[in-house]
Amino acid sequence: MDKPRLRRREFLASAGAGLIAATLPLSGAANAVRTKARIVIAGGGAAGLAVASRLAAQLDGAEIVLIEPSEEHFYQPGFTLIGAGVKPASYSVLKTKDYIAPDVRWIKERVAEFDPEGNKIVTESGTALPYDFLVVTTGLALDYAAIVGMDLSLIGREGIASVYAGPTYAEASWRALAAFAGTGGTGLFGRPATEMKCAGAPLKQAFLADDYLRRNGTRAKSKIVYNAHNQTLFSVPLVDAKVRELFQRQEFETNFGHVLSAIDPARHIATYATPSGPIEMKWDFINVIPPMRAPAAVRKSPLRWQSGPFAADGWLEVDRATLRHSRYANIFGVGDINGVPKGKTAASVKWQAPVAVDHLIGTITGKGSAERYNGYTSCPLITKIGQAMLVEFDYDNNLTPSFPFIAPLEEHWIPWVIKEKVLKPNYTAMLRGLA
Amino acid sequence: MKDLSPGTLVAILHEMFGFFLWILLGVAALMLVFGVVFLFQRRRFRQNRLQVVLIAATAIGIGAVLIAPMLTNASFANIHGLLDWASLGAIALIGFASVLWMAYIGLSRPDRRPLRTEP
């Protein structure tokens, strides 16, 4: 009985998506560009799926290949909600196949090597795939090993939390947080010195821990310590000032220039690299955020930045406005892999994907493109369960609120509702190229 | 959230409700059409029914406000500032107006009494 029901549901979903697609300007075979171009999309996370959907809708006859090993797709913006006990682990788990457009060929592998001179990539099994255009959407790599003593198996034990590695780890992190909220003690928070996805998440997790301690009546005997990696709490000055104000209000202890370098789970001792040498701190709860870098295949390729602030961790060298590679005109980058300021969020992907796709198609047609990505990104900065600030900004640190009636630096219920109810459907619509 | 065009909004709602969205929109469209047609007719409510409907609409409006924060894992303690209270007010108003509208369509009857004319 299950199978027919699934088919019917799939049919209804497709019918609905098709009905919507017919109303949107990007779709419509009549407007599709006819081409025989071979396009390889390296990585099937949020960026890869969004790009694939848009290319499939706007091109007719192109050979679009998506390279992605995982059959599961994680809605990563949900990890903080899972880590806060608001949602179960299953909330973030989607099926990759449900978001791959019918005209896209899916190769369930990982890219092992980029050869931009030869216009081909090589997969882990050794298959070479030539291309006319390449879109790099590999995402980033979590470097837990860079923190001495840290291991994924520790998450959820010994007061260690870390939501980034996946939904089950986010759920294990919630168990650690709930236990800490029950007993109280010292909670250590902070962020790595590298670029990272959703730079607001470390702040959210500190606020959420504070909220649970207060709810459990254990805040008075607890200490929240936030160790910032540099001299700011947030890269946008206006937001930084607001967060400092909130930290003061909530009585957080703040240290600057502290980067987590090692943990000793048996003794509950964390070591931080500071300008004045290593410092040890004891924890009852610690939120570990690993350094984040480009995946090895990009880091070891000619595609990486050769110099400048994005070179050390091997981020993709793209023009920050057009997202076209600075040295290889037929290569584009979308999402976390891009070596651009800010912009490692799903909101950034939503705005980057149409720009990169428009430039790629403009190259095929010879008409070019005037589209520009201005660095827009968004962070619903949760300050307690049920309240958040909807912070949106661009490359130049301008606040760019979507809704004039939502003040970006004020805590409200409505931004929380957006985070809790609206962002996931917005995200899945983006994967289908519809948002 | 920056480009909440009608097309994007429909796409997001479709992700939320699936095919059920089209049923909801169909029902809403029917209610709208019936409502507009009835507005051009002479219709009347029985007085006692009107009172019940008004009480039900008020109760639904208040009920919607009471459960809205809970449905989002929040509480009334999280309602803060004009934006949140205005949103709750809108929820109450939508609940109230929807019940009133549905009752008008379902319970009002054509008024066939002859029009009074001045002697």
Side-chain angles (χ1 to χ4, degrees):
Chain A
M1 285 301 285
D2 278 351
K3 267 192 169 175
R5 203 186 306 163
L6 192 65
R7 282 201 205 104
R8 187 169 67 233
R9 207 179 296 150
E10 280 173 353
F11 167 77
L12 293 175
S14 316
L19 207 54
I20 295 167
T23 68
L24 293 178
L26 74 84
S27 65
N31 297 327
V33 172
R34 283 199 63 78
T35 177
K36 294 284 180 196
R38 297 167 302 174
I39 303 170
V40 169
I41 301 165
L49 291 171
V51 166
S53 296
R54 285 180 173 272
L55 286 172
Q58 294 180 67
L59 296 177
D60 179 15
E63 186 191 330
I64 304 169
V65 177
L66 178 74
I67 302 172
E68 168 55 44
S70 179
E71 301 210 355
E72 281 186 333
H73 176 93
F74 296 149
Y75 168 61
Q76 294 186 42
F79 288 178
T80 36
L81 294 177
I82 298 168
V86 175
K87 301 283 185 188
S90 58
Y91 172 70
S92 273
V93 183
L94 306 170
K95 286 180 184 163
T96 303
K97 73 175 174 64
D98 290 347
Y99 300 94
I100 297 181
D103 298 337
V104 175
R105 182 156 69 97
W106 178 18
I107 295 178
K108 291 181 192 175
E109 284 201 62
R110 207 181 302 276
V111 176
E113 189 188 329
F114 291 93
D115 177 6
E117 302 294 344
N119 285 323
K120 68 174 193 293
I121 60 108
V122 181
T123 65
E124 278 180 331
S125 69
T127 308
L129 286 166
Y131 59 78
D132 299 310
F133 294 94
L134 171 67
V135 188
V136 182
T137 53
T138 54
L140 52 68
L142 304 173
D143 193 1
Y144 279 101
I147 299 168
V148 176
M150 180 59 192
D151 188 276
L152 282 178
S153 66
L154 290 168
I155 297 172
R157 295 166 40 209
E158 306 297 344
I160 297 173
S162 187
V163 302
Y164 291 85
T168 52
Y169 294 105
E171 202 166 62
S173 297
W174 161 238
R175 289 197 296 274
L177 176 59
F180 172 59
T183 59
T186 300
L188 301 182
F189 298 84
R191 57 155 289 177
T194 61
E195 295 289 324
M196 66 172 292
K197 60 175 80 198
C198 190
L203 305 169
K204 293 178 203 175
Q205 284 148 354
F207 283 125
L208 287 166
D210 175 67
D211 190 26
Y212 276 114
L213 288 166
R214 288 175 196 276
R215 284 164 189 249
N216 280 270
T218 48
R219 182 65 178 95
K221 56 177 178 174
S222 301
K223 197 162 71 164
I224 299 263
V225 182
Y226 191 88
N227 294 312
H229 72 297
N230 59 16
Q231 296 306 308
T232 62
L233 296 174
F234 203 88
S235 65
V236 179
L238 282 169
V239 183
D240 181 56
K242 179 67 186 183
V243 173
R244 282 172 194 253
E245 182 192 315
L246 294 176
F247 271 26
Q248 207 165 11
R249 183 188 77 187
Q250 301 303 109
E251 297 174 320
F252 291 2
E253 196 177 302
T254 311
N255 300 305
F256 295 98
H258 282 48
V259 178
L260 183 65
S261 59
I263 60 166
D264 181 343
R267 294 166 55 224
H268 285 209
I269 296 286
T271 305
Y272 289 87
T274 76
S276 53
I279 286 177
E280 289 190 343
M281 291 184 188
K282 188 150 177 54
W283 84 71
D284 296 293
F285 175 84
I286 184 169
N287 185 43
V288 176
I289 302 182
M292 301 183 195
R293 314 186 196 288
V298 177
R299 219 165 53 235
K300 293 174 182 166
S301 80
L303 299 179
R304 59 179 291 166
W305 277 93
Q306 306 296 301
S307 61
F310 302 112
D313 292 316
W315 302 109
L316 189 74
E317 185 178 345
V318 291
D319 176 89
R320 70 183 214 165
T322 65
L323 308 174
R324 189 191 294 269
H325 197 278
S326 308
R327 286 172 283 115
Y328 301 100
N330 62 339
I331 298 177
F332 296 84
V334 178
D336 292 353
I337 187 59
N338 280 348
V340 296
K342 308 180 174 76
K344 294 198 187 323
T345 68
S348 304
V349 168
K350 187 178 162 189
W351 285 88
Q352 289 181 2
V355 172
V357 165
D358 204 59
H359 279 270
L360 193 156
I361 294 175
T363 307
I364 291 174
T365 59
K367 292 177 182 168
S369 169
E371 292 290 314
R372 294 286 181 273
Y373 171 62
N374 71 353
Y376 172 85
T377 193
S378 160
C379 173
L381 188 48
I382 298 167
T383 54
K384 62 170 69 167
I385 296 290
Q387 264 184 6
M389 300 188 293
L390 187 57
V391 180
E392 299 162 279
F393 49 93
D394 63 15
Y395 280 142
D396 300 321
N397 294 331
N398 298 309
L399 295 181
T400 54
S402 298
F403 308 103
F405 50 87
I406 302 182
L409 299 179
E410 283 181 18
E411 298 164 84
H412 287 293
W413 169 59
I414 287 297
W416 165 265
V417 175
I418 291 173
K419 168 76 181 172
E420 215 260 347
K421 293 284 178 218
V422 184
L423 288 191
K424 188 178 174 187
N426 191 19
Y427 175 92
T428 49
M430 174 190 82
L431 299 185
R432 298 187 205 279
L434 300 173
Chain B
M1 297 308 299
K2 205 151 179 62
D3 64 335
L4 208 55
S5 64
T8 307
L9 188 61
V10 172
I12 292 169
L13 289 172
H14 186 257
E15 294 294 329
M16 278 178 167
F17 299 110
F19 195 75
F20 189 58
L21 173 68
W22 307 119
I23 296 169
L24 283 176
L25 288 178
V27 170
L30 278 178
M31 300 290 281
L32 188 67
V33 169
F34 277 120
V36 169
V37 169
F38 288 1
L39 278 178
F40 287 99
Q41 295 178 344
R42 284 180 62 229
R43 299 180 75 83
R44 67 188 173 96
F45 257 118
R46 287 219 317 258
Q47 189 63 30
N48 59 343
R49 276 192 177 174
L50 181 63
Q51 281 170 353
V52 171
V53 166
L54 283 173
I55 290 167
T58 307
I60 294 285
I62 292 170
V65 166
L66 291 178
I67 64 164
M70 281 190 289
L71 289 177
T72 63
N73 287 296
S75 70
F76 268 93
N78 301 125
I79 307 301
H80 175 72
L82 184 62
L83 170 69
D84 291 348
W85 286 112
S87 303
L88 281 181
I91 289 168
L93 201 63
I94 291 167
F96 179 85
S98 302
V99 174
L100 214 57
W101 192 257
M102 284 190 286
Y104 178 67
I105 291 165
L107 301 179
S108 66
R109 295 286 174 262
D111 190 351
R112 295 200 172 87
R113 291 173 301 183
L115 282 170
R116 276 189 208 158
T117 51
E118 293 294 321

